[in-house]
Amino acid sequence: QVQLVESGGGLVQPGGSLRLSCAGSGLSFRSLIMGWYRQAPGKQRELVASITSVGGTNYTDSVKGRFSIFRDNFKNTLYLRMDSLKPEDTAVYYCNGGRVPSYSWGQGTQVTVSS
């Protein structure tokens, strides 16, 4: 059974940084396209970053140059480094398949950017 557990969110001031983690069990990140999604209040969930099995990355325009997705194959953990955070980055962040979110959603981790 696949389980995805996100962590690392919190309250941060504009311009600050956070690193999110997604621990996976029942699947191997190294052989999959994985992604980070976010859902802001009243909005649809959107894919913000993805990474392929060979390390290729892709980002939605609003986070390019500020967010970085990477993974630790040994720990089977996916990360999202977020810098220069803006209030509009406030959302619940989730990890899932990066092409199609094929797995059950985890509980997500709340990121709030506010002064």
Side-chain angles (χ1 to χ4, degrees):
Q1 183 178 355
V2 172
Q3 188 174 19
L4 301 169
V5 180
E6 301 90 352
S7 62
L11 173 63
V12 63
Q13 292 186 340
S17 298
L18 284 173
R19 190 184 77 169
L20 307 184
S21 301
C22 170
S25 59
L27 76 173
S28 176
F29 286 168
R30 72 174 70 200
S31 60
L32 299 170
I33 300 172
M34 292 298 298
W36 281 97
Y37 297 76
R38 67 185 179 188
Q39 187 167 22
K43 295 188 177 181
Q44 287 190 329
R45 195 170 298 179
E46 63 169 341
L47 176 67
V48 297
S50 60
I51 184 168
T52 69
S53 59
V54 295
T57 58
N58 198 27
Y59 301 90
T60 193
D61 286 347
S62 63
V63 308
K64 282 181 180 177
R66 301 189 298 120
F67 288 13
S68 178
I69 185 171
F70 57 102
R71 65 175 183 259
D72 184 323
N73 291 335
F74 181 76
K75 294 181 179 179
N76 205 40
T77 299
L78 185 71
Y79 299 96
L80 185 68
R81 172 72 182 187
M82 306 187 295
D83 296 316
S84 302
L85 282 161
K86 303 176 181 180
E88 51 264 44
D89 295 318
T90 295
V92 180
Y93 284 72
Y94 306 85
C95 64
N96 212 306
R99 181 167 291 168
V100 177
S102 305
Y103 311 109
S104 296
W105 294 100
Q107 83 288 349
T109 187
Q110 174 71 48
V111 172
T112 303
V113 185
S114 175
S115 55

